[in-house]
Amino acid sequence: MYIIVGLGNPGRQYEGTRHNMGFDAVDRLVELCDAPNAVRKFHALVGTGRIGSEKVVLAKPLTYMNLSGDSVRELVDFYKIDPAKELIVISDDIDLEPGRLRIRKKGSAGGQNGLKHIISRLGTDEFVRIRVGTGAKPAGWDLADWVLSRFSKEDREKADDALDRAAKAAVCVVRDGADAAMNTYNRQD
């Protein structure tokens, strides 16, 4: 069993923003995993589905980005999974250009507050994370304003492509393992 968590902020005002890349990737996974009905539990919207023969739990924490670890901790405890082997977290990354992905099996939060809170609440940085590029903050912009902004038309197209690949990368992690996903999706094209 795997838990796949997409990070973002709940509410219509945050839909389509750079910070909601994790939510958007999970929305794409819903179709790939046949998990159409989400319910509110564990401070998240949670649905279950399958990737091949593997059960997957898809979650979008409703705690807002900076407190995502509370929801993830509840999910990990309830389903009794090993985060190093059965947790995938999808988030935005301002250090990657729009359209780029980076998959890692462990590591720092890299300044991403949702990941930072998850690491703090789990007590480990060993879990698969799929980071979706949103582009660096322009000079003169406040970081919060940047991550809560929407993409230009050109960058939106790149982001949409990256979201499709992020969903496929999560499927690849479940089916073939994190190393296979890293070899396939971390490449620069």
Side-chain angles (χ1 to χ4, degrees), residues 61-83:
L62 299 174
T63 55
Y64 290 90
M65 180 68 74
N66 294 354
L67 298 176
S68 297
D70 292 339
S71 176
V72 173
R73 177 85 255 175
E74 287 183 52
L75 286 157
V76 165
D77 289 348
F78 181 83
Y79 289 104
K80 297 175 177 49
I81 66 153
D82 177 352

Side-chain angles (χ1 to χ4, degrees), residues 157-178:
E157 290 173 7
K158 293 175 186 175
D160 285 340
D161 177 63
L163 289 168
D164 289 339
R165 287 184 291 112
K168 290 174 185 173
V171 169
C172 184
V173 170
V174 172
R175 285 194 173 148
D176 304 318

Side-chain angles (χ1 to χ4, degrees), residues 77-93:
D77 289 348
F78 181 83
Y79 289 104
K80 297 175 177 49
I81 66 153
D82 177 352
K85 297 177 183 168
E86 301 164 305
L87 175 64
I88 302 168
V89 177
I90 306 172
S91 70
D92 62 293
D93 188 330

Side-chain angles (χ1 to χ4, degrees), residues 12 29 31 62 109 158 179:
R12 295 194 75 158
L29 274 166
E31 293 178 29
L62 299 174
K158 293 175 186 175
D179 288 331

Side-chain angles (χ1 to χ4, degrees), residues 111-183:
Q112 215 284 356
N113 287 332
L115 288 174
K116 189 181 303 182
H117 196 252
I118 292 169
I119 291 167
S120 170
R121 293 291 283 126
L122 293 180
T124 183
D125 68 354
E126 293 189 30
F127 56 88
V128 172
R129 71 276 320 262
I130 300 171
R131 299 174 88 146
V132 184
T134 61
K137 167 184 84 69
W141 275 70
D142 176 75
L143 181 58
D145 290 338
W146 176 247
V147 298
L148 297 177
S149 70
R150 288 175 173 72
F151 291 97
S152 68
K153 183 179 181 202
E154 178 185 338
D155 284 349
R156 179 79 253 173
E157 290 173 7
K158 293 175 186 175
D160 285 340
D161 177 63
L163 289 168
D164 289 339
R165 287 184 291 112
K168 290 174 185 173
V171 169
C172 184
V173 170
V174 172
R175 285 194 173 148
D176 304 318
D179 288 331
M182 289 164 51
N183 288 335

